[in-house]
Amino acid sequence: MPSPLADPVKLPCGLVLPNRLSKAAMAELLAKNNQPTDPLVDAYEQWSDGGWGSILTGNVQVDVNHMGSPFDPALHSEYKDSETNSALVAQWKKYADACQKHGTPAIAQICHPGRQSFRVAGHRGMFAQTLAPSAVPIKVGDSYLEKLIGYLAWTEPKEMTTQDVEMVIRQFVDTARLMADAGFSGIELHGAHGYLLDQFLNSKTNLRTDAYGGTPEKRARFVLEIISQARKVVPSTFAIGIKLNSADHTSATFEETMTQIALLAEAGLDFMEISGGSYEDPKMMGYGKANATEPKSSRTAAREAFFLEFSKEVRQRHPELVLMLTGGFRSRAGAEAAIRDNACDLVGIGRPAAIDAKFPRLLLDESVGDDEAQLLLNKAPVPWYTRFLPLHLIGAGAESTYYAAQIQQLGKGIATLAPPW
Ligand SMILES: Cc1cc2nc3c(=O)[nH]c(=O)nc-3n(C[C@H](O)[C@H](O)[C@H](O)COP(=O)(O)O)c2cc1C
């Protein structure tokens, strides 16, 4: 019987994804002068031939002054149009073309890290403040050591003025336009993992009392304005999606998150990707504070996906919304179970994609049995000299570093290696 993973999915904008397997966004750390490079393009050429239904790029920063790392691609200044900025568009077109060389639609993830921009990332200088909805510093833990790590890694955030809000909205819209002009099939707003959009949505980081804070609806306004303004400047066939954080059913903010999701669904999204976590609590890497030292519960382990229950809840409330679920998928059986459970339409796959660029070919090959159609991964090795540091931070950092290195191997055409122990 053919796998349900092989079914195509049509997004509301008309874009057809040939199957349900999506290469999830992973920062490649391969940009130079914040522009796409040949190794970056080469890595995506490999994914383009991997049998994916869609390819999400690693985050593209909307402002070169505020980046996730010094090696992110980013917008340097205002983007006018494809004629005025023809060299820039040509450079990005090479990237979009490589992703889509074999017909798989590629979606560029666009991002502003807000208060999570490291001191060394971005052209603003080591001591300049980060931008955030409110001046709430990052707190990775209560110990002296954790406070020191927080101080060394990030500056104090500045509460954004209304002018700052308008500028960042424009930067998102400009970046969306550049991605459309370059030939990408869509954008995904990075609204998860504690980055700026998530900071606005979240009551712990958004303490504003103006039009952009105070209630769940007002906290969603920043994101909603970006979506509505971006819609006006890209073709109607261009997909606009968002990656969002889940909330535990038992959490005080669960219904508030659902209120915001309802507003986003009404805004006319092409898809919503469910993830979770932040730098303070990196659940997206399977290293949340709660499970940094313990294995996943056997129930979640059997069903692989980290945020399955939350996705099912969104699905129940918004059956029309195209849902992608990312985090933890390692096997055909796990991915099929999520589709059959009606938890999602699309399965986002991160780390296995960095090891095997053609992972979908294995999962969709009917001659391969379920036992073989998987890529189980050990935790990435944590250097011995960092073992006295908090595991939820070091473990997640080790995962990112390890898999970014594998992506760089892909870019060089060198064999990748799964974590050995
Ligand atoms: C090296 C690396 C870089 C990542 N960069 C991004 C990113 O740019 N944007 C994003 O939304 N998620 C990013 N993630 C998180 C993944 O998209 C995904 O949510 C996470 O790895 C869990 O999925 P997995 O278990 O399939 O790896 C990154 C993950 C890794 C390993």
Short mmCIF file of all heavy atoms in Angstrom, two decimals, residues 142-183:
data_model
loop_
_atom_site.label_atom_id
_atom_site.label_comp_id
_atom_site.label_asym_id
_atom_site.label_seq_id
_atom_site.Cartn_x
_atom_site.Cartn_y
_atom_site.Cartn_z
N ASP A 142 18.97 30.22 37.31
CA ASP A 142 19.11 31.05 38.50
C ASP A 142 20.49 31.01 39.11
O ASP A 142 20.82 31.84 39.95
CB ASP A 142 18.10 30.59 39.57
CG ASP A 142 16.69 30.95 39.16
OD1 ASP A 142 16.51 32.05 38.59
OD2 ASP A 142 15.77 30.13 39.37
N SER A 143 21.32 30.03 38.71
CA SER A 143 22.63 29.90 39.36
C SER A 143 23.53 31.06 38.91
O SER A 143 23.30 31.70 37.89
CB SER A 143 23.28 28.57 38.99
OG SER A 143 23.65 28.59 37.63
N TYR A 144 24.60 31.26 39.69
CA TYR A 144 25.56 32.31 39.37
C TYR A 144 26.13 32.09 37.95
O TYR A 144 26.23 33.01 37.15
CB TYR A 144 26.68 32.30 40.42
CG TYR A 144 27.75 33.32 40.15
CD1 TYR A 144 27.51 34.68 40.33
CD2 TYR A 144 29.00 32.91 39.68
CE1 TYR A 144 28.48 35.62 40.05
CE2 TYR A 144 29.98 33.84 39.39
CZ TYR A 144 29.72 35.20 39.58
OH TYR A 144 30.68 36.12 39.29
N LEU A 145 26.45 30.83 37.68
CA LEU A 145 27.04 30.49 36.39
C LEU A 145 26.07 30.79 35.23
O LEU A 145 26.45 31.36 34.21
CB LEU A 145 27.40 28.99 36.40
CG LEU A 145 28.12 28.48 35.17
CD1 LEU A 145 29.46 29.19 35.01
CD2 LEU A 145 28.34 26.97 35.29
N GLU A 146 24.81 30.40 35.43
CA GLU A 146 23.82 30.63 34.37
C GLU A 146 23.61 32.13 34.13
O GLU A 146 23.45 32.58 33.00
CB GLU A 146 22.50 29.93 34.72
CG GLU A 146 22.59 28.41 34.55
CD GLU A 146 21.47 27.66 35.23
OE1 GLU A 146 21.08 28.03 36.36
OE2 GLU A 146 20.98 26.68 34.64
N LYS A 147 23.64 32.89 35.23
CA LYS A 147 23.49 34.36 35.09
C LYS A 147 24.67 34.93 34.31
O LYS A 147 24.51 35.80 33.46
CB LYS A 147 23.39 35.02 36.46
CG LYS A 147 22.01 34.84 37.06
CD LYS A 147 21.92 35.57 38.39
CE LYS A 147 20.60 35.22 39.06
NZ LYS A 147 20.66 35.36 40.50
N LEU A 148 25.87 34.40 34.61
CA LEU A 148 27.08 34.87 33.92
C LEU A 148 26.99 34.54 32.42
O LEU A 148 27.30 35.37 31.57
CB LEU A 148 28.33 34.22 34.55
CG LEU A 148 29.65 34.65 33.95
CD1 LEU A 148 29.93 36.13 34.25
CD2 LEU A 148 30.80 33.79 34.48
N ILE A 149 26.53 33.33 32.11
CA ILE A 149 26.39 32.93 30.69
C ILE A 149 25.44 33.90 29.99
O ILE A 149 25.72 34.39 28.90
CB ILE A 149 25.85 31.48 30.58
CG1 ILE A 149 26.88 30.48 31.10
CG2 ILE A 149 25.47 31.16 29.12
CD1 ILE A 149 26.36 29.06 31.19
N GLY A 150 24.32 34.19 30.66
CA GLY A 150 23.33 35.11 30.08
C GLY A 150 23.95 36.47 29.82
O GLY A 150 23.77 37.06 28.75
N TYR A 151 24.74 36.97 30.78
CA TYR A 151 25.34 38.29 30.64
C TYR A 151 26.36 38.31 29.49
O TYR A 151 26.40 39.26 28.71
CB TYR A 151 26.01 38.70 31.97
CG TYR A 151 26.80 39.97 31.82
CD1 TYR A 151 26.16 41.21 31.75
CD2 TYR A 151 28.19 39.92 31.70
CE1 TYR A 151 26.89 42.37 31.56
CE2 TYR A 151 28.92 41.07 31.51
CZ TYR A 151 28.27 42.30 31.44
OH TYR A 151 29.00 43.44 31.24
N LEU A 152 27.16 37.26 29.41
CA LEU A 152 28.20 37.23 28.37
C LEU A 152 27.60 37.07 26.97
O LEU A 152 28.12 37.61 25.99
CB LEU A 152 29.18 36.08 28.63
CG LEU A 152 30.06 36.23 29.87
CD1 LEU A 152 30.89 34.97 30.09
CD2 LEU A 152 30.97 37.46 29.76
N ALA A 153 26.51 36.34 26.87
CA ALA A 153 25.95 36.02 25.56
C ALA A 153 25.10 37.16 24.98
O ALA A 153 25.14 37.42 23.78
CB ALA A 153 25.12 34.74 25.64
N TRP A 154 24.33 37.83 25.84
CA TRP A 154 23.36 38.80 25.32
C TRP A 154 23.41 40.12 26.07
O TRP A 154 23.67 40.15 27.27
CB TRP A 154 21.92 38.25 25.46
CG TRP A 154 21.70 36.98 24.73
CD1 TRP A 154 21.54 36.81 23.39
CD2 TRP A 154 21.62 35.65 25.30
NE1 TRP A 154 21.36 35.48 23.09
CE2 TRP A 154 21.40 34.75 24.24
CE3 TRP A 154 21.70 35.14 26.59
CZ2 TRP A 154 21.28 33.38 24.43
CZ3 TRP A 154 21.57 33.77 26.79
CH2 TRP A 154 21.36 32.91 25.72
N THR A 155 23.11 41.20 25.36
CA THR A 155 22.97 42.50 26.02
C THR A 155 21.53 42.64 26.51
O THR A 155 20.65 41.85 26.16
CB THR A 155 23.28 43.65 25.04
OG1 THR A 155 22.51 43.46 23.86
CG2 THR A 155 24.74 43.71 24.70
N GLU A 156 21.30 43.69 27.29
CA GLU A 156 19.94 43.99 27.77
C GLU A 156 19.09 44.40 26.57
O GLU A 156 19.52 45.21 25.75
CB GLU A 156 19.98 45.19 28.72
CG GLU A 156 20.67 44.92 30.03
CD GLU A 156 19.73 44.36 31.07
OE1 GLU A 156 18.60 44.89 31.18
OE2 GLU A 156 20.11 43.39 31.74
N PRO A 157 17.89 43.88 26.46
CA PRO A 157 17.05 44.32 25.34
C PRO A 157 16.46 45.72 25.56
O PRO A 157 16.26 46.13 26.70
CB PRO A 157 15.93 43.28 25.32
CG PRO A 157 15.92 42.66 26.67
CD PRO A 157 17.26 42.85 27.29
N LYS A 158 16.22 46.38 24.45
CA LYS A 158 15.56 47.69 24.50
C LYS A 158 14.09 47.50 24.14
O LYS A 158 13.79 46.79 23.17
CB LYS A 158 16.24 48.60 23.47
CG LYS A 158 15.51 49.90 23.20
CD LYS A 158 15.98 50.54 21.88
CE LYS A 158 14.98 51.62 21.48
NZ LYS A 158 14.97 51.92 20.07
N GLU A 159 13.20 48.12 24.88
CA GLU A 159 11.77 48.05 24.52
C GLU A 159 11.56 48.81 23.21
O GLU A 159 11.94 49.98 23.10
CB GLU A 159 10.92 48.67 25.62
CG GLU A 159 9.45 48.71 25.24
CD GLU A 159 8.56 49.15 26.37
OE1 GLU A 159 8.78 48.72 27.52
OE2 GLU A 159 7.64 49.94 26.09
N MET A 160 11.00 48.16 22.23
CA MET A 160 10.84 48.79 20.92
C MET A 160 9.83 49.93 20.97
O MET A 160 8.76 49.81 21.57
CB MET A 160 10.38 47.74 19.89
CG MET A 160 11.47 46.76 19.50
SD MET A 160 10.84 45.30 18.65
CE MET A 160 10.38 45.98 17.06
N THR A 161 10.19 51.04 20.33
CA THR A 161 9.24 52.15 20.18
C THR A 161 8.28 51.80 19.04
O THR A 161 8.52 50.83 18.30
CB THR A 161 9.98 53.44 19.80
OG1 THR A 161 10.62 53.19 18.53
CG2 THR A 161 11.04 53.80 20.84
N THR A 162 7.25 52.63 18.88
CA THR A 162 6.32 52.40 17.76
C THR A 162 7.07 52.50 16.43
O THR A 162 6.81 51.73 15.50
CB THR A 162 5.18 53.43 17.80
OG1 THR A 162 4.69 53.46 19.12
CG2 THR A 162 4.06 53.08 16.85
N GLN A 163 8.06 53.41 16.37
CA GLN A 163 8.87 53.53 15.14
C GLN A 163 9.67 52.26 14.89
O GLN A 163 9.79 51.80 13.76
CB GLN A 163 9.85 54.72 15.22
CG GLN A 163 9.21 56.07 15.05
CD GLN A 163 8.63 56.59 16.39
OE1 GLN A 163 8.51 55.87 17.37
NE2 GLN A 163 8.25 57.86 16.38
N ASP A 164 10.23 51.69 15.97
CA ASP A 164 10.97 50.42 15.82
C ASP A 164 10.03 49.34 15.30
O ASP A 164 10.40 48.55 14.42
CB ASP A 164 11.54 49.95 17.18
CG ASP A 164 12.65 50.83 17.72
OD1 ASP A 164 13.39 51.40 16.90
OD2 ASP A 164 12.76 50.94 18.95
N VAL A 165 8.82 49.30 15.85
CA VAL A 165 7.85 48.28 15.42
C VAL A 165 7.58 48.44 13.93
O VAL A 165 7.63 47.47 13.15
CB VAL A 165 6.54 48.39 16.25
CG1 VAL A 165 5.43 47.56 15.63
CG2 VAL A 165 6.78 47.97 17.69
N GLU A 166 7.34 49.68 13.52
CA GLU A 166 7.04 49.92 12.09
C GLU A 166 8.23 49.56 11.22
O GLU A 166 8.08 48.97 10.15
CB GLU A 166 6.67 51.39 11.88
CG GLU A 166 5.26 51.67 12.34
CD GLU A 166 4.95 53.15 12.51
OE1 GLU A 166 5.81 53.99 12.12
OE2 GLU A 166 3.87 53.46 13.03
N MET A 167 9.44 49.87 11.70
CA MET A 167 10.64 49.55 10.90
C MET A 167 10.80 48.03 10.73
O MET A 167 11.05 47.55 9.63
CB MET A 167 11.88 50.12 11.61
CG MET A 167 13.18 49.81 10.89
SD MET A 167 14.60 50.25 11.89
CE MET A 167 14.55 49.03 13.19
N VAL A 168 10.59 47.30 11.81
CA VAL A 168 10.79 45.85 11.72
C VAL A 168 9.69 45.22 10.84
O VAL A 168 9.97 44.30 10.06
CB VAL A 168 10.88 45.20 13.12
CG1 VAL A 168 10.98 43.69 13.00
CG2 VAL A 168 12.09 45.74 13.88
N ILE A 169 8.48 45.74 10.92
CA ILE A 169 7.43 45.23 10.03
C ILE A 169 7.88 45.44 8.58
O ILE A 169 7.80 44.54 7.75
CB ILE A 169 6.07 45.93 10.30
CG1 ILE A 169 5.53 45.52 11.67
CG2 ILE A 169 5.06 45.61 9.18
CD1 ILE A 169 4.27 46.24 12.12
N ARG A 170 8.40 46.64 8.31
CA ARG A 170 8.86 46.92 6.94
C ARG A 170 9.99 45.98 6.53
O ARG A 170 10.04 45.50 5.40
CB ARG A 170 9.31 48.38 6.84
CG ARG A 170 9.26 48.92 5.42
CD ARG A 170 10.22 50.07 5.19
NE ARG A 170 11.59 49.64 5.36
CZ ARG A 170 12.50 50.28 6.12
NH1 ARG A 170 12.21 51.36 6.76
NH2 ARG A 170 13.74 49.80 6.21
N GLN A 171 10.88 45.68 7.46
CA GLN A 171 12.00 44.78 7.13
C GLN A 171 11.49 43.38 6.78
O GLN A 171 11.98 42.74 5.86
CB GLN A 171 12.98 44.71 8.31
CG GLN A 171 13.76 46.00 8.51
CD GLN A 171 14.56 46.01 9.80
OE1 GLN A 171 14.18 45.39 10.79
NE2 GLN A 171 15.66 46.74 9.80
N PHE A 172 10.49 42.90 7.54
CA PHE A 172 9.91 41.59 7.21
C PHE A 172 9.26 41.64 5.82
O PHE A 172 9.43 40.72 5.01
CB PHE A 172 8.85 41.19 8.26
CG PHE A 172 9.43 40.38 9.40
CD1 PHE A 172 9.72 40.98 10.62
CD2 PHE A 172 9.66 39.02 9.26
CE1 PHE A 172 10.25 40.24 11.67
CE2 PHE A 172 10.19 38.27 10.31
CZ PHE A 172 10.49 38.89 11.51
N VAL A 173 8.55 42.73 5.55
CA VAL A 173 7.83 42.83 4.28
C VAL A 173 8.83 42.94 3.12
O VAL A 173 8.67 42.29 2.07
CB VAL A 173 6.84 44.02 4.31
CG1 VAL A 173 6.18 44.24 2.97
CG2 VAL A 173 5.79 43.79 5.40
N ASP A 174 9.88 43.74 3.32
CA ASP A 174 10.93 43.86 2.29
C ASP A 174 11.57 42.50 2.00
O ASP A 174 11.82 42.14 0.85
CB ASP A 174 12.05 44.79 2.77
CG ASP A 174 11.71 46.26 2.55
OD1 ASP A 174 10.63 46.54 2.00
OD2 ASP A 174 12.54 47.11 2.94
N THR A 175 11.85 41.77 3.07
CA THR A 175 12.51 40.46 2.88
C THR A 175 11.56 39.51 2.15
O THR A 175 12.00 38.75 1.27
CB THR A 175 12.96 39.88 4.24
OG1 THR A 175 13.65 40.90 4.96
CG2 THR A 175 13.87 38.69 4.07
N ALA A 176 10.29 39.56 2.49
CA ALA A 176 9.31 38.71 1.79
C ALA A 176 9.31 39.03 0.30
O ALA A 176 9.30 38.12 -0.55
CB ALA A 176 7.91 38.94 2.38
N ARG A 177 9.37 40.32 -0.01
CA ARG A 177 9.36 40.74 -1.41
C ARG A 177 10.62 40.26 -2.14
O ARG A 177 10.55 39.76 -3.27
CB ARG A 177 9.29 42.27 -1.47
CG ARG A 177 8.35 42.83 -2.51
CD ARG A 177 7.82 44.20 -2.14
NE ARG A 177 8.70 45.05 -1.39
CZ ARG A 177 9.62 45.86 -1.92
NH1 ARG A 177 9.79 45.93 -3.22
NH2 ARG A 177 10.38 46.62 -1.14
N LEU A 178 11.76 40.41 -1.46
CA LEU A 178 13.02 39.95 -2.08
C LEU A 178 12.94 38.44 -2.34
O LEU A 178 13.35 37.97 -3.42
CB LEU A 178 14.21 40.28 -1.16
CG LEU A 178 15.56 39.66 -1.57
CD1 LEU A 178 16.01 40.14 -2.96
CD2 LEU A 178 16.65 39.99 -0.54
N MET A 179 12.40 37.68 -1.39
CA MET A 179 12.34 36.22 -1.57
C MET A 179 11.41 35.88 -2.75
O MET A 179 11.70 34.96 -3.51
CB MET A 179 11.85 35.53 -0.28
CG MET A 179 12.78 35.70 0.89
SD MET A 179 14.45 35.11 0.53
CE MET A 179 15.44 36.49 1.06
N ALA A 180 10.32 36.62 -2.88
CA ALA A 180 9.40 36.37 -4.00
C ALA A 180 10.09 36.73 -5.32
O ALA A 180 10.05 35.96 -6.29
CB ALA A 180 8.12 37.18 -3.82
N ASP A 181 10.77 37.86 -5.34
CA ASP A 181 11.45 38.29 -6.58
C ASP A 181 12.58 37.33 -6.95
O ASP A 181 12.91 37.16 -8.13
CB ASP A 181 12.00 39.72 -6.44
CG ASP A 181 10.87 40.76 -6.43
OD1 ASP A 181 9.72 40.38 -6.76
OD2 ASP A 181 11.13 41.93 -6.08
N ALA A 182 13.19 36.72 -5.94
CA ALA A 182 14.29 35.78 -6.21
C ALA A 182 13.78 34.44 -6.74
O ALA A 182 14.55 33.65 -7.27
CB ALA A 182 15.11 35.56 -4.94
N GLY A 183 12.49 34.19 -6.56
CA GLY A 183 11.93 32.95 -7.12
C GLY A 183 11.57 31.89 -6.10
O GLY A 183 11.20 30.77 -6.48
#
